[in-house]
């Protein structure tokens, strides 16, 4: 396939299709996250009845009875009689005087809750949390990788092209950073500082750049000896020009693959941090802490962990499709036809 | 090459010193102190101060640092405050267990990853390629504890094929050697398979993308144009070059593996370093944390050195650069 | 395609994967047969913690300490019982056959049993008791509970079977203080000077000599430790079981899996959320008891929001404890109004917990000037919003779950709560330095029922009075209860003290929760109680009932 132009094109087609579908999936997720306040059915941290609403399976519909002082009761069934409201809740029959109920209407109560993806242990709507979690998880993943890539490129390029001493120093420095178990570093730092999402992004970015810089360096060292770079240099072109026009674009390919993988990876790191209590703090939702919430009830209330896991996998898959597609799109092979 | 290795080792030792120094101050400045372990309502402020004195924690931090440093230079890593035994003994005891788990996990990861990646690259664009890519994506995207929970529930609890946790059966030390070995493998199987499969997605991608990348490079085309047999081009030229990033990744992966096996160690009660370090951190058991940082550091330094040597061996261009 | 020569087929991934899995599976399945079952019947306990040493004096006060597993290895002089419903607990003879106080209560004499020997055959004598006391109070050993021995001036050996504890003053819990700690083997352990104890924990394990029902057969760190019958144990027919295995299993789900698959017989503590599963399993029993601890939200009274007791009352009335209990404890607890559990003699039964009454809470807040002037839904006073941070330690899932619930409840009455959970280790610093707004915690009581650690102004420095509550009347009442030797005189004082604490609300007592244990049906005579989940472990026996 590598020699036959036809088969290259044959691979190109589905890959651009993959890129497009990846971009589509990702934009759906990102849009869903951005639009969460308008499209999510309920408030993601609202727990109106943590007892009756607890761990309700997907597609549960419940009547919402509003009482005094902003209290709510979720009921399987309500029935209106002349001066009271009969409520079936938790398998028991309760009754409230009509004057106690704030949202009474002719047949019962004026509000109900539809839990499309079920509820968690506090009776919170999983769908709403999923949507709000999308913005948090995606933002943490993308921004911290962006930070890590920026640092990684700078350090890697400096190491590869800056001469022996700088290289030696930077790489030992990278080794050093890699030596510290990241989970410990993050735990210590999040314990020292109050963690909000921005802090978390900075911390994750600061901890995860070294592998990228090593990769960048290895790639550049290898490229430096390649014919087209040597040729460019022999033509008297400047190092900086060569770096930006020949080396960086060629080094981008593996970098994009790696960065793509890292976005998903970081969402997973965020998940394990949240799992340990150091990540996104409750009651704010991230996919990570939603999965952590549900992992103890994987058997009895599978939907709590299953939906965020599924969306997480979905997102990482989409991100990877984009990465794959970009890789083929940016592939120097196609451009190098003209250069060679 | 030898000079290169020696120089690297020298500068690495210096670096390790800086890392340990940083860690020392980081953990001492982190909130909490090891004496919380002994805390109870009977504790008066005086008593706390006495305990601090006993462990030398009442001195200024710089003084603590220099006495720690001079002990380390004599090869003494201090005593674990929680376990009250030499810190290095604790790690020495745990290291083989983690090494076993990690090696088994990495073996599974790379054997599965290499095979799948190779097949996918060779048959790029085909049905099998797409299936492998989807599978590796799914494995890569699945949190390891979900995989482990499902595997434990099905394979260990429901069907009872594998033991739920631990490294040895009760009274395993009374068994003959072969039976003991089987007992160990029996316990090792599930955690290492989970660790390997959860991580192999990335290897598949690396191998596949690396191969495809290399296949498109000029020298492969040249080799092909020279009429070399396709399988020779694949196995000798392409695969070797495609493995370079993988080797790089391997060196970098060591510390990630150390902390990555942590969840598995906790879920399977595997008596490894990860579990010990995790506990030491939450107990602020400074000597154990520092000794394990040194250990992890030494492993990473050696790992990256090995990766560089291997890379040089695989890629002559880098060898020349060294 | 030109690489068909590599021998890979076009049949898709499934057969390939199957072959691969089969290869791996084959390798492992050869090993997947359990080894020949040489093991004798043993009780297996799935336990989350490892022991950290066999010498309780130098081992940190880990949960194992609270579990009192040391009692499996070493005898105490007498054994405290959990029969404290109508008065202070009684004490059963153990190493001591009997004990008596002198007229002035300044001397406490123990008469030791003649037939108790160490597991190496040496007799247990009064010398062991005296030497153990010396270890308790030795500065180099620095036992973290040594404060309990502060008023013991000497331990005098009269003859090998008689020992007298001399006290500097008479007080209520002299017997408890004298009895605290297990009796250690002088002849074996005195070979290591006290000065070297703190760095040689392994030494004690290597030189382990016991006088209790069990010896430590083996100990693989983070794997398991095994108790085996002490053949020289003095009680006839005890222990009932030859071998007890503690399988160290930190993960909750793994512990449950071991129990449900029959590979373990007991879990000391299970979450209320798993109780239904245990109850529905025909091979398992659910046991419950009320521990001697109390759950609370402590308000830092030095913060502007919590200075007035009426506000603290309003906060208490704003928390829907019934909902918390139903939602997080599945009914296995009840609202509390006192630090004392309801089955304790000192508990005031004539009181009621604060009701959930958001209406009245709002009224109180408004009356004290906390009104929402800027319309953001949060009450404010003098430009300061009623917005504080509630913290707890992240190790306890129930406490972490409490955060959003209390946050939601207080939001309904116009108070903003920011929540934060952190490691207990990191939390204790701010608590001891009083650098927090409000905290959810639990504390345990000991037999002395000494509340000064928690509510006395002396407990601000050194004790656990994190919220800096200080009230001379409460201080005086606590002093009076602690000094009172006769519990019948102390009872009305305790009652008044509880009424004061209820009115003053230095902390909001949340609920009294049951501690649940899960036990396999063929394990008998397990009796977890407030003193220990492994109480009378020597009586446990494994027997299938037909």
């Amino acid at each position: 396939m590598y020699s036959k132009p036809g088969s290259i094109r044959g691979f190109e087609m589905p890959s651009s299709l993959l890129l497009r579908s990846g971009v589509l999936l990702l934009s759906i997720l990102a849009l869903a996250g951005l639009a969460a306040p308008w499209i999510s059915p309920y408030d993601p941290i609202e727990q109106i009845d943590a007892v009756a609403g607890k761990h309700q399976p997907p597609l549960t519909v419940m009547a919402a009875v509003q009482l005094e002082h902003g209290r709510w009761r979720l009921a399987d069934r309500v029935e209106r009689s002349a001066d009271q409201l009969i409520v079936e809740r938790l398998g028991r029959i309760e009754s409230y005087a009509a004057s106690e109920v704030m949202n009474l209407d002719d047949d019962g109560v004026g509000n109900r809750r539809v839990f499309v993806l079920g509820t968690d242990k506090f009776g919170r709507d999983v769908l709403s949390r999923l949507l709000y979690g999308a913005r948090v998880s995606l933002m943490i993943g993308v921004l911290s990788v962006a930070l890590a890539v920026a640092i990684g490129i700078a350090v890697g390029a400096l190491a590869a092209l800056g001469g022996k001493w700088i290289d030696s120093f930077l790489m030992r420095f990278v080794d050093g950073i890699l030596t510290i178990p990241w989970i410990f570093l993050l735990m210590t730092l999040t314990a020292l500082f109050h963690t909000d999402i921005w802090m978390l992004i900075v911390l994750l970015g600061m901890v995860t750049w070294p592998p990228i810089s090593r990769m960048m360096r290895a790639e550049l060292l290898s490229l430096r000896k390649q014919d087209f770079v040597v040729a460019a240099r022999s033509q008297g072109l400047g190092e900086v020009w060569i770096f930006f026009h020949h080396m960086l674009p060629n080094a981008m390919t593996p970098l994009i693959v790696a960065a793509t993988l890292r976005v998903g990876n970081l969402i997973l790191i965020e998940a394990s941090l949240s799992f340990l209590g150091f990540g996104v703090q409750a009651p704010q939702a991230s996919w990570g802490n939603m999965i952590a919430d549900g992992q103890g009830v994987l058997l009895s209330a599978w939907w709590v962990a299953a939906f965020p896991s599924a969306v997480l996998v979905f997102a990482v898959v989409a991100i990877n499709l984009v990465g794959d597609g970009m890789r083929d799109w940016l592939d120097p092979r196609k451009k190098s036809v003209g250069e060679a | 090459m030898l000079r290169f290795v020696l120089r690297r080792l020298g500068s690495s030792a210096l670096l390790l010193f800086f890392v340990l120094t940083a860690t020392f101050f980081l953990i001492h400045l982190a909130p909490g102190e090891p004496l919380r372990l002994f805390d109870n309502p009977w504790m008066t402020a005086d008593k706390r101060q006495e305990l601090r004195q006993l462990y030398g924690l009442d001195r200024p931090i710089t003084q603590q640092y220099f006495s720690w440093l001079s002990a380390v230079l004599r090869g003494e890593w201090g005593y674990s405050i929680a376990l009250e035994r030499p810190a290095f003994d604790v790690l020495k005891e745990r290291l083989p267990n983690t090494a076993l788990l990690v090696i088994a996990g990495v073996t599974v990861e790379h054997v599965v990853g290499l095979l799948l990646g190779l097949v996918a690259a060779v048959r790029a664009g085909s049905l099998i390629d797409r299936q492998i890519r989807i599978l590796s994506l799914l494995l890569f995207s699945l949190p390891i504890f979900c995989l482990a929970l499902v595997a434990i529930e099905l394979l260990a609890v429901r069907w009872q094929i594998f033991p739920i946790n631990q490294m040895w059966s009760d009274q395993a030390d009374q068994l003959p050697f072969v039976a003991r070995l089987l007992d160990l493998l029996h316990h090792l199987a599930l955690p290492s398979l989970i660790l390997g499969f959860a991580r192999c997605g990335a290897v598949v991608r690396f191998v596949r993308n690396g191969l495809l990348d290399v296949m498109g490079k000029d020298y492969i085309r040249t080799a092909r144009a020279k009429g070399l047999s396709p399988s020779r081009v694949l196995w000798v030229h392409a695969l070797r070059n495609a493995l370079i990033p993988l080797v790089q990744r391997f060196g970098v992966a060591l510390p990630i593996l150390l902390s990555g096996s942590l969840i598995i160690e906790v879920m399977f009660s595997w008596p490894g370093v990860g579990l010990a370090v995790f506990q030491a951190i939450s107990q602020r058991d400074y000597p154990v944390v520092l000794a394990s940082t040194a250990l992890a550091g030494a492993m990473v330094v050696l790992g990256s050195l090995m990766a560089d040597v291997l890379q040089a061996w695989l890629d002559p261009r880098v060898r020349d650069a060294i | 395609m030109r690489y068909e020569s590599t021998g890979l087929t076009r049949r898709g991934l499934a057969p390939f994967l199957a072959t691969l899995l089969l290869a791996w599976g084959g390798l492992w399945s050869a090993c997947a047969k359990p080894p020949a079952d040489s093991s004798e019947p043993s009780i297996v306990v799935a336990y989350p913690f490892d022991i950290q040493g066999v010498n309780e004096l130098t081992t940190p006060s880990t949960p194992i300490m609270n579990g009192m597993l040391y009692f499996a290895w070493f005898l105490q002089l007498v054994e405290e019982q959990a029969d404290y419903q109508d008065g202070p607990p009684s004490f059963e003879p153990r190493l001591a056959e009997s004990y008596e106080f002198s007229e002035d209560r300044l001397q406490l004499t123990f008469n030791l049993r003649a037939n108790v020997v160490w597991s190496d055959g040496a007799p247990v004598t009064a010398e062991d008791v005296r030497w153990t006391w010396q270890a308790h109070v030795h500065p180099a050993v620095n036992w973290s509970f040594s404060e309990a021995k502060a008023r013991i001036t000497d331990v005098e050996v009269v003859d090998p079977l008689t020992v007298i504890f001399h006290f500097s003053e008479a007080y209520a819990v002299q017997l408890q203080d004298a009895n605290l700690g297990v009796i250690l083997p002088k002849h074996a352990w005195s070979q290591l000077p006290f000065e070297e104890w703190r760095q040689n924990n392994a030494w004690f394990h290597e030189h382990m000599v016991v006088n209790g029902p069990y010896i430590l057969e083996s100990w693989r760190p983070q794997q398991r430790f095994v108790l085996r019958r002490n053949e020289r144990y003095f009680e006839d027919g005890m222990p009932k079981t030859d071998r007890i295995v503690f399988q160290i299993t930190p993960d909750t789900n793994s512990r449950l899996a071991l129990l449900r698959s029959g590979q373990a017989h007991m879990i000391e503590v299970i979450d209320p959320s798993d109780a239904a599963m245990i109850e529905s399993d025909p091979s398992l029993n659910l046991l419950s008891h009320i521990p001697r601890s109390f759950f609370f939200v402590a308000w830092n009274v030095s913060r502007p929001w919590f200075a007035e007791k009426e506000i603290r009352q309003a906060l208490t009335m704003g928390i829907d404890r019934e909902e918390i209990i139903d939602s997080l404890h599945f009914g296995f607890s009840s609202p509390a109004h006192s630090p004392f559990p309801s089955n304790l003699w000192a508990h005031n039964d004539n009181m009621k917990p604060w009701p959930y009454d958001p209406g009245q809470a709002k009224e109180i807040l408004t009356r004290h000037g906390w009104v929402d002037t800027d319309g953001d839904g949060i009450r404010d006073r003098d430009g300061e919003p009623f917005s504080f941070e509630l913290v707890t330690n992240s190790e306890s899932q129930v406490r972490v779950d409490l955060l959003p619930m209390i946050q939601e409840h207080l939001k309904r009455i116009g108070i903003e709560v920011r929540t934060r959970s952190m490691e207990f280790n990191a939390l204790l610093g701010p608590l001891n330095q009083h650098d927090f707004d409000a905290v959810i915690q639990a504390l345990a009581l000991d037999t002395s029922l000494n509340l000064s650690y928690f509510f006395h102004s002396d407990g601000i420095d050194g004790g656990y009075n994190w919220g800096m509550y200080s009230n001379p009347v409460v201080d005086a009442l606590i002093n009076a209860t602690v000094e009172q030797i006769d519990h019948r005189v102390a009872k009305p004082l305790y009652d008044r003290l509880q009424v004061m604490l209820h009115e003053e609300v230095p902390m909001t007592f949340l609920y009294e929760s049951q501690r649940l244990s899960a036990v396999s049906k063929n394990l008998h005579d397990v009796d977890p109680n407030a003193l220990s989940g492994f109480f009378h472990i020597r009586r446990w026996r494994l027997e299938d009932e037909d």
Side-chain angles (χ1 to χ4, degrees), chain A residues 67-338:
Chain A
L67 307 173
E68 276 181 308
H69 307 299
R71 294 164 68 198
W72 291 80
R73 288 284 177 266
L74 287 172
D76 300 325
R77 218 164 46 81
V78 291
E79 209 173 287
R80 172 83 204 264
S81 72
D83 53 353
Q84 61 178 3
L85 188 74
I86 311 288
V87 169
E88 191 184 323
R89 176 170 174 266
L90 295 164
R92 290 189 295 266
I93 305 289
E94 299 168 12
S95 66
Y96 294 97
S99 58
E100 283 182 282
V101 181
M102 305 281 117
N103 61 344
L104 212 59
D105 70 5
D106 295 341
D107 329 305
V109 286
N111 299 74
R112 57 178 197 152
R113 288 280 189 277
V114 184
F115 301 117
V116 178
L117 299 183
T119 62
D120 68 2
K121 65 182 162 195
F122 298 114
R124 297 181 294 204
D125 181 39
V126 170
L127 176 62
S128 307
R129 291 183 68 72
L130 216 50
L131 290 170
Y132 274 89
R135 42 163 65 181
V136 172
S137 294
L138 287 177
M139 192 165 79
I140 288 177
V142 171
L143 290 186
S144 51
V145 167
L147 182 63
V149 166
I151 304 175
I153 288 181
V155 174
L158 211 60
L161 309 172
K164 250 181 191 171
W165 279 102
I166 296 179
D167 180 26
S168 180
F169 171 77
L170 283 178
M171 281 305 106
R172 294 305 79 72
F173 182 65
V174 164
D175 286 347
I177 300 237
L178 284 169
T179 308
I180 305 176
W182 60 265
I183 213 165
F184 159 49
L185 194 66
L186 288 169
M187 272 165 55
T188 313
L189 291 173
T190 47
L192 279 169
F193 309 105
H194 284 243
T195 25
D196 59 1
I197 289 174
W198 299 107
M199 198 68 200
L200 207 59
I201 289 170
V202 171
L203 288 178
L204 285 170
M206 303 273 275
V207 173
T208 53
W209 62 267
I212 293 176
S213 73
R214 291 196 64 154
M215 205 178 141
M216 186 72 192
R217 169 180 173 273
E219 214 36 61
L220 290 177
L221 281 183
S222 155
L223 279 169
R224 211 161 61 158
K225 300 277 165 157
Q226 294 217 350
D227 299 343
F228 62 94
V229 177
V230 175
R233 200 170 287 129
S234 65
Q235 282 167 25
L237 293 167
E239 283 292 334
V240 176
W241 196 90
I242 294 173
F243 173 72
F244 279 109
H245 284 84
H246 288 294
M247 299 178 77
L248 195 57
N250 281 290
M252 278 318 267
T253 309
L255 199 68
I256 283 167
V257 176
T260 309
L261 286 165
R262 297 232 132 226
V263 174
N265 212 353
L266 272 154
I267 294 177
L268 293 176
I269 289 178
E270 182 268 317
S272 34
L273 268 182
S274 297
F275 170 69
L276 295 167
F278 294 95
V280 177
Q281 294 274 310
Q284 194 167 26
S286 81
W287 294 336
N289 67 19
M290 288 179 76
I291 296 172
D293 266 354
Q295 66 131 9
V297 287
L298 210 60
L299 301 172
S300 53
W302 54 268
W303 52 89
V304 183
F307 289 118
S309 305
V311 176
L312 180 75
V313 171
F314 187 68
V316 180
V317 165
I319 290 164
N320 280 289
L321 290 181
V322 173
D324 263 0
M326 296 253 287
R327 175 190 161 280
D328 293 324
W329 183 55
L330 287 174
D331 199 318
R333 273 178 290 152
K334 278 175 267 169
K335 278 177 285 176
S336 66
V337 176

Side-chain angles (χ1 to χ4, degrees), chain C residues 264-283:
Chain C
H265 301 99
M266 194 238 189
I267 301 177
E268 190 206 0
V269 181
I270 65 159
D271 288 340
S273 54
D274 296 321
M277 186 174 74
I278 302 294
E279 278 180 317
S280 67
D281 191 323
S283 64

Side-chain angles (χ1 to χ4, degrees), chain B residues 117-130:
Chain B
L118 197 64
V119 173
V122 167
R123 315 200 66 69
S126 70
L127 174 72
I128 192 169
D129 175 38
R130 251 172 283 153

Side-chain angles (χ1 to χ4, degrees), chain C residues 94-327:
Chain C
R94 292 291 283 159
L95 181 56
E97 236 164 7
S98 63
Y99 61 90
E100 61 191 329
F101 277 103
S102 65
E103 203 74 356
D104 56 2
R105 275 186 76 100
L106 289 179
Q107 292 175 22
L108 174 58
T109 308
F110 289 95
N111 303 304
L112 308 187
R113 285 176 202 274
N115 60 340
V116 185
V117 292
W118 294 102
S119 50
D120 60 0
V124 180
T125 69
E127 285 295 338
D128 289 313
V129 179
R130 178 176 158 79
W131 179 79
T132 300
W133 166 74
Q134 286 171 332
H136 283 161
V137 296
H138 197 279
V141 174
N142 214 322
W143 187 32
S144 43
F145 289 86
S146 64
E147 210 57 32
K149 307 285 181 185
R151 285 176 280 185
I152 297 171
T153 52
D154 192 20
V155 176
E156 178 193 349
V157 176
V158 179
D159 62 55
L161 294 180
T162 313
V163 60
I164 302 178
F165 282 71
H166 293 271
F167 288 86
S168 60
E169 60 178 293
Y171 56 100
V173 288
Q174 281 169 282
L175 179 60
Q176 282 88 329
D177 281 354
N179 190 45
L180 187 72
V182 291
I183 301 303
L184 303 173
K186 177 183 183 186
H187 67 290
W189 285 5
S190 64
Q191 288 161 23
L192 188 72
F194 288 143
E195 285 73 20
E196 291 171 33
W197 275 30
R198 281 264 164 194
Q199 295 183 339
N200 289 289
N201 226 2
W203 189 90
F204 297 106
H205 175 219
E206 287 152 17
H207 297 77
M208 181 101 165
V209 177
V210 305
N211 58 8
Y214 285 101
I215 59 172
L216 183 62
E217 176 189 289
S218 64
W219 174 22
R220 273 181 184 275
Q222 286 306 320
Q223 291 270 285
R224 64 175 62 77
F225 55 94
V226 181
L227 309 184
R228 172 169 292 282
R229 154 194 293 279
N230 172 10
E231 297 295 346
R232 290 194 156 106
Y233 182 60
F234 78 95
E235 255 180 307
D236 281 338
M238 294 285 178
K240 289 268 169 69
T241 301
D242 287 347
R243 202 162 173 275
I244 302 180
V245 179
F246 283 80
Q247 189 102 325
I248 316 296
T249 313
D251 184 67
T252 313
N253 289 312
S254 301
R255 280 201 299 283
L256 285 172
L258 281 174
L259 187 74
R260 281 160 57 215
S261 63
Q263 296 173 62
H265 301 99
M266 194 238 189
I267 301 177
E268 190 206 0
V269 181
I270 65 159
D271 288 340
S273 54
D274 296 321
M277 186 174 74
I278 302 294
E279 278 180 317
S280 67
D281 191 323
S283 64
L284 300 175
N285 277 334
L286 185 71
L287 306 177
S288 80
H289 68 269
I290 299 173
R292 274 196 316 215
S293 53
F294 55 108
F295 288 83
F296 57 85
V297 184
W299 314 105
N300 187 345
V301 299
S302 69
R303 295 287 199 258
W305 313 289
F306 309 127
E308 299 135 275
K309 75 171 181 188
E310 290 82 3
I311 300 293
R312 302 197 293 267
Q313 291 171 358
L315 286 161
T316 309
M317 285 190 276
I319 298 173
D320 189 349
R321 286 179 282 180
E322 293 287 353
E323 188 188 50
I324 291 171
I325 288 165
D326 287 342
S327 162

Side-chain angles (χ1 to χ4, degrees), chain C residues 313 316 321 336-338 351-355 496-507 509:
Chain C
Q313 291 171 358
T316 309
R321 286 179 282 180
H337 58 259
S338 154
M351 294 163 59
K352 275 201 167 57
W354 290 103
R496 263 190 66 204
L497 182 56
Q498 287 167 77
V499 172
M500 282 291 290
L501 292 175
H502 176 74
E503 290 292 327
E504 287 276 312
V505 207
M507 43 177 80
F509 302 112

Side-chain angles (χ1 to χ4, degrees), chain C residues 377-398:
Chain C
I378 303 166
R379 290 167 188 271
D380 49 80
R381 184 169 77 179
D382 308 332
E384 165 122 39
F386 205 133
S387 166
F388 66 90
E389 187 179 67
L390 181 64
V391 291
T392 195
N393 60 310
S394 51
E395 289 89 347
S396 161
Q397 187 60 47
V398 168

